[in-house]
Amino acid sequence: MKIFNTLTRNKEEFVPVTPGKAGIYVCGPTVYDFIHIGNARPMIVFDTLRRYLEYRGYEVNYVSNFTDVDDKIIRRANEEHVDSLEISERFIKECKKDMEALNVRPATTHPQATKEIPDMIDMVQQLIDKGHAYCVNGTVYFRTRSFDGYGKLSHKNIDDLESGHRDEAHQLKVSGEDEKEDALDFVLWKPKKEGEPSWESPWGDGRPGWHLECSVMSRKYIGGTLDIHAGGEDLIFPHHENEIAQSEAANGVTFSNYWMHNGFLKIDNEKMSKSLGNFFTVRDICEKYDPQVIRFFMLSAQYRSPLNFSDQLVESAKNGLDRILNGAKKLEDIAAKNNGKEISEEEQKLLAELPNYVAKFDAAMDDDLNTADAISAIFELIRFTNAGTNEESSSAFAKQLYDTLFTLSDTVLGIHLTRAEAEMSEDETAVIESMIAERTAAKKAKDFAKADEIRAKLLDMGIVIEDTREGVKWRKA
Ligand code: AMP
Ligand code: ZN
């Protein structure tokens, strides 16, 4: 598999530290509110990366944190007059519900900063001992210039950064950070302020800085060198640059061999973000659309491309997904008949072509996780199965086609092959079925006007019916 590595700006063959294993760390959300669908993009695309590597036989250790101590969490806790832990625990729970709806599998480990404080303190101490950090009045800073490779991920020159910062000298004074040795230095440990959560440390009570938590937790749950570190492209600088500086200065080994960054989800060509107010929460969007459609929409673009969000584009994703689901339903129905027929010679010939579609899918995914092309390969497979099957096909043949489709769509892309029918209540189902029975009776009595009227009513309710040899079948439109 080839991966575009932000560090080298090249597509490189993926070679893991340990053959057959992959350690992946993905920066997770700050939990002070419901997540928006921009936050869901890295969750969905890197969950798909994990699924694809597993399908290729890797044992994946997938670690993604929840940032549960942060100014925004504290601000919200103060507004609601509750403990900041209550806010973070509440929104971790809500975030996990959204992840489940989007079929994002739970990480192998979801570490939380507040539960890893002793390890944070250890890393800060190591950095101080090695001369990479220093303490002033209870704040510990990273001595940025002591780390040679600073700027290598974001391809920034340290002297350009310095001159940019010099203009901010006035701001630094205002923020109380003028005690730093150098404007480029960043915070590892912040001293306690009134009304904020804090922990004891050798430098006084305080809390860890945001960048530190990812360096500490990735080392603890994966090791000194990660195979892949991932997140949204807004994290390249300064967050990931600072993570590299901390980790490589402390551990003395390469922090991550590959860096993957997803492009932004945009609205009217602007990044969707909380601060701009142009966001939709995953919760709200899932009221309007089947979450499967949202997942499919996210994967309809390669992860590095910007992706515009609009009702029109989601509708077109829904139509694309419907083509796949209808094709799957046809195969499922034939397979379920269990007609005991032997696979015919003609069917054998068609089955021999099946690996070509899988190879196309794999080639797309091998090319820097090109899910857009992988979905095109699934569309080709659907055209092939639609053309190659009919009511007379053997069930065994249909089952083999279905199983292949299931692996690519459900197992790897995380797109279920069935619609979320389960959401329909028993009462609703009973109403639909009694209307269908009424229509069947009307047809028998040759009252076709009434039969058509019932069909139209069902369509208004979003239910499509189909007359087949086995009787009337129905599905959500
Ligand atoms: P945050 O909670 O802001 O740290 O974001 C959590 C994750 O969502 C990070 O990996 C961000 O890069 C990513 N992210 C935030 N907004 C967007 C967006 N509009 N499009 C894509 N990724 C985003
Ligand atoms: Zn991080």
Side-chain angles (χ1 to χ4, degrees), residues 25-28 65 67 210-211 213-215 229-230 235 239-240 243:
Y25 185 89
V26 182
C27 295
N65 66 308
T67 295
W210 170 42
H211 314 302
E213 64 177 272
C214 292
S215 283
H229 193 313
L235 300 185
H239 184 55
H240 288 163
E243 282 187 37

Side-chain angles (χ1 to χ4, degrees), residues 26-32 35-43 46 67 70 72 210 230-236 239-240 261-267 270-274 278-279 298 303 307:
V26 182
C27 295
T30 306
V31 277
Y32 66 103
I35 58 163
H36 62 67
I37 51 172
N39 301 134
R41 190 172 189 196
M43 289 179 182
F46 298 120
T67 295
D70 168 270
K72 293 181 201 123
W210 170 42
E233 67 183 3
D234 53 337
L235 300 185
I236 297 173
H239 184 55
H240 288 163
H261 292 99
N262 65 272
F264 290 140
L265 183 79
K266 297 185 165 190
I267 275 204
E270 233 177 334
K271 179 194 174 197
M272 179 180 287
S273 76
K274 269 266 151 63
N278 60 349
F279 65 93
M298 292 282 188
Y303 73 94
L307 176 60

Side-chain angles (χ1 to χ4, degrees), residues 4 59 129 182 235 238 266 298 315 354 387 406 414 435 448:
F4 181 89
E59 188 186 313
D129 293 346
D182 188 293
L235 300 185
K266 297 185 165 190
M298 292 282 188
E315 278 301 327
L354 196 51
F406 185 91
M435 285 171 75
F448 297 113

Side-chain angles (χ1 to χ4, degrees), residues 71-95:
D71 291 344
K72 293 181 201 123
I73 300 172
I74 296 168
R75 199 176 313 135
R76 177 143 188 176
N78 290 340
E79 279 164 18
E80 293 192 18
H81 305 291
V82 295
D83 196 78
S84 63
L85 203 66
E86 190 179 320
I87 299 291
S88 57
E89 292 299 328
R90 184 196 307 163
F91 289 111
I92 286 172
K93 250 192 219 146
E94 299 299 349
C95 179

